[in-house]
Amino acid sequence: MTNTEAKLIHGLIKKANRVKAVEISGFFTMLHQEGKCNDDLIKGIEEYIGILSILHKKCEGLSVYKIQKKANPIDPADFAKFTKFHVEITELMKAAKEQMN
């Protein structure tokens, strides 16, 4: 695994980001129930949380160096999609919250 991937994983599995994932899930589930977002987005969020859970189980408590020495449990192409989705969904939630206020 590359150092960049290890650093990303180390940051993503921190408690604050796991709590943020739960917040994202709840927020968009609420919007989905109101008919303001589609099923594909909800499925994407569920997959995102599933991958985050896998990474947390495999790498919890490890330093960046130790994470780097392990094999990435996520396929590189899927990992790239995962990190891109993380950025996009975080920005989308931020924009939706601003629009609501």
Side-chain angles (χ1 to χ4, degrees), residues 76-87:
D78 291 337
F79 188 73
K81 290 178 191 173
F82 169 76
T83 54
K84 182 180 177 189
F85 185 81
H86 170 77
V87 171

Side-chain angles (χ1 to χ4, degrees), residues 50-69:
I51 292 172
L52 190 61
S53 177
I54 290 168
L55 293 174
H56 181 259
K57 287 176 187 173
K58 301 275 184 181
C59 303
E60 177 185 19
L62 299 178
S63 67
V64 172
Y65 178 76
K66 287 184 178 180
I67 292 171
Q68 186 175 351
K69 294 296 178 191

Side-chain angles (χ1 to χ4, degrees), residues 15-98:
K15 185 176 181 177
N17 280 323
R18 294 190 328 268
V19 169
K20 175 72 93 184
V22 172
E23 180 185 3
I24 288 169
S25 177
F27 182 76
F28 284 104
T29 298
M30 178 188 71
L31 291 179
H32 183 260
Q33 290 174 347
E34 294 174 1
K36 296 180 180 176
C37 67
N38 63 29
D39 292 339
D40 291 338
L41 181 60
I42 299 302
K43 288 177 188 172
I45 291 169
E46 289 171 358
E47 289 174 13
Y48 164 76
I49 291 174
I51 292 172
L52 190 61
S53 177
I54 290 168
L55 293 174
H56 181 259
K57 287 176 187 173
K58 301 275 184 181
C59 303
E60 177 185 19
L62 299 178
S63 67
V64 172
Y65 178 76
K66 287 184 178 180
I67 292 171
Q68 186 175 351
K69 294 296 178 191
K70 296 179 75 128
N72 190 337
I74 311 300
D75 178 79
D78 291 337
F79 188 73
K81 290 178 191 173
F82 169 76
T83 54
K84 182 180 177 189
F85 185 81
H86 170 77
V87 171
E88 290 172 347
I89 198 68
T90 302
E91 290 300 315
L92 182 60
M93 187 171 109
K94 182 179 172 184
K97 280 185 164 184
E98 287 174 0

